[in-house]
Amino acid sequence: MYLLCKLLYVTVFALLSAAPPYLPLFYHDALGFSSNQIGLVLAIAPFIQSAACPFWTWLVDRKPRWHGLTMTGTSLAGGVAIMGIMMMGRIVASPAYQIDITTLVLLTSMFALTFAFFTLPNISLVDSAVMKILGPNKILYGQQRLWGSVSCGLTILVVGQLISMTGDLDMLFYVFGGSTLLFAFFALFVRVDASEPTLSAKEQAALMTSVADTPFYQSTAMGGGEKLDEEAALMDVPLFKAATVHSFRDEVTDALDNIGHNMDLGLTISKISTVDQSMAHILDGDSEPMNLSILLSVRVLTFLTSTLMLGIALSMIVNFLFLFQGTDLKIPASWIGWNGPTGGITELLAFCFAKQLTEKYGVTKLIIFAHVATAIRCIGYTLLTPASLTTNILALVLQTLHGVGFGLFWATAVSEIDSFFPPAQRSMAQGILGGLHAGLGTGLGALIGGFLYDAYGATGLFNSGAFLCVVSIIIFSIGRLPKYAA
């Protein structure tokens, strides 16, 4: 059911996972960029995306009939830009052309900017389209988006295997191009009206049955009567109240509470706003002006500062991870590709159990633990030796800490930022959170990481990431002192 929604997520995550993770390798091996130049090009995307997400979301919200066509047009425009980067590689490799490095960096940066403005916001556009297609059944959102997470991990794995088998980095562009064409095609079938569709009682009953029967509905050993009681409890939850992220998450929380101790991965994903959703709603017109007295309080400021610093540290890892593994550790692309499913699975597990862990250990311990896991990951990379099977395995083991470092932190931070502000201001608060972590944090992380990698090597890069985590823990802990409690 809702096949189009699933296909949109599969293809949009495929195109966004085929090229970006491997581009640093391409910049280094095919274009001959230094780490500093790579960091400069990579920093463009998060800054542009921070502005592009709310712009395109605002546009399709006001012109709903253009939604599908907008996704098709933007994906194709960004796709042409990425293929332009591939052509830069062909030009560099050809003896018939001579191009200086400054011009090459400038042209590549222009292509990266175009891709960031047109294609990167498409996850936000798909989120928006799917929520409108689901109409009164928005509670099924997580089941649709789960397919995107699966697609992301598998695409990174497939691209790595293809590069390893052929020895050709252009494989990343071929997979990207095919995924882009498929996404653009499926987007043409999106039909969104200003008014939301309603379903008959029979259709809604069928949908709610699918929630209980889906293979992602994980229940412990229990009798059939208990399962029927939980289905009934879930059906009693109002499915939709208002078109805001906050009210939707409130309803998902109610649904999770009603099904008790059993896990539902789809509902869990629905509850946690993605980074793209957060940035897209920073300009939400329905939000009240931000309460500056809350925003400037020590508890909130230290929390947001910690969010930014961890965002920088994670960006330093993620943006240069494949380059580090491929060039410094001599890990084959076939092994590098396994970072996708390894990190994806642990991230989903972190999302899934974040609520239970928060209830047991509290927000403060979980966020500190996420920082510690990231610091251990950074230090661990510095201890690996090149060209070793043991290193290949340990690199994947360290990748599992991504789920703790990012997954657990983000799942906890999304709920924590809500607790600081009244309901009418939470949409903008989520926007600030996403903008700091994935916008400013990711951009600065790429710039700083490129400089550190170029000047001090991988050891300097990862040691600096660990140091940032330690400083962030100290700042965060200061804000959690009882005297700064609300």
Side-chain angles (χ1 to χ4, degrees), residues 211-247:
V211 171
D213 292 340
T214 176
F216 297 112
Y217 180 84
Q218 303 173 20
S219 59
T220 56
M222 59 183 180
E226 289 177 290
K227 184 170 181 179
L228 288 173
D229 289 343
E230 287 166 2
E231 284 185 47
L234 186 57
M235 292 176 67
D236 286 340
V237 179
L239 293 185
F240 186 65
K241 298 174 185 174
T244 64
V245 172
H246 168 64
S247 63

Side-chain angles (χ1 to χ4, degrees), residues 355-412:
K355 181 175 182 290
Q356 291 87 336
L357 291 172
T358 302
E359 291 172 351
K360 184 173 183 178
Y361 297 107
V363 170
T364 302
K365 289 181 180 178
L366 285 189
I367 289 183
I368 290 176
F369 184 58
H371 281 77
V372 171
T374 304
I376 292 173
R377 183 185 178 194
C378 288
I379 295 171
Y381 285 133
T382 67
L383 303 177
L384 300 179
T385 56
S388 163
L389 177 61
T390 302
T391 290
N392 299 351
I393 296 171
L394 290 176
L396 291 179
V397 172
L398 289 173
Q399 177 67 6
T400 63
L401 293 178
H402 168 79
V404 180
F406 170 73
L408 196 57
F409 171 80
W410 186 254
T412 307

Side-chain angles (χ1 to χ4, degrees), residues 125-240:
L125 295 182
V126 171
D127 280 340
S128 176
V130 167
M131 294 290 272
K132 292 171 183 175
I133 291 171
L134 292 176
N137 298 286
K138 289 179 174 61
I139 205 166
L140 302 180
Y141 162 79
Q143 290 187 23
Q144 319 309 313
R145 197 183 186 283
L146 185 60
W147 287 86
S149 299
V150 173
S151 174
C152 176
L154 291 179
T155 301
I156 293 174
L157 175 60
V158 168
V159 172
Q161 302 306 311
L162 290 174
I163 292 174
S164 183
M165 287 188 296
T166 63
D168 186 2
L169 279 171
D170 282 354
M171 287 295 112
L172 71 93
F173 297 105
Y174 299 148
V175 176
F176 169 84
S179 302
T180 298
L181 291 176
L182 286 174
F183 174 72
F185 174 73
F186 292 134
L188 289 174
F189 292 92
V190 172
R191 297 289 183 270
V192 175
D193 295 322
S195 58
E196 294 185 340
T198 57
L199 298 182
S200 66
K202 181 178 179 180
E203 289 173 318
Q204 291 200 27
L207 284 168
M208 295 316 299
T209 300
S210 73
V211 171
D213 292 340
T214 176
F216 297 112
Y217 180 84
Q218 303 173 20
S219 59
T220 56
M222 59 183 180
E226 289 177 290
K227 184 170 181 179
L228 288 173
D229 289 343
E230 287 166 2
E231 284 185 47
L234 186 57
M235 292 176 67
D236 286 340
V237 179
L239 293 185
F240 186 65

Side-chain angles (χ1 to χ4, degrees), residues 6-67:
K6 295 177 176 65
L7 290 174
L8 287 173
Y9 277 122
V10 167
T11 51
V12 75
F13 272 87
L15 72 90
L16 291 174
S17 303
Y22 291 95
L23 280 177
L25 267 174
F26 182 81
Y27 293 151
H28 181 272
D29 293 352
L31 300 186
F33 286 4
S34 68
S35 300
N36 232 340
Q37 292 164 336
I38 293 173
L40 178 64
V41 175
L42 294 178
I44 293 173
F47 290 126
I48 298 299
Q49 185 184 9
S50 297
C53 275
F55 168 74
W56 289 111
T57 305
W58 170 85
L59 179 65
V60 297
D61 281 347
R62 278 147 186 79
K63 300 290 183 180
R65 295 184 183 277
W66 295 2
H67 205 130

Side-chain angles (χ1 to χ4, degrees), residues 253-285:
T253 300
D254 291 342
L256 284 170
D257 289 341
N258 275 321
I259 64 174
H261 63 278
N262 298 289
M263 299 302 303
D264 189 301
L265 189 52
L267 287 175
T268 302
I269 293 175
S270 295
K271 185 178 184 295
I272 302 170
S273 293
T274 65
V275 172
D276 303 271
Q277 286 173 333
S278 296
M279 290 193 294
H281 286 272
I282 194 170
L283 299 180
D284 195 335

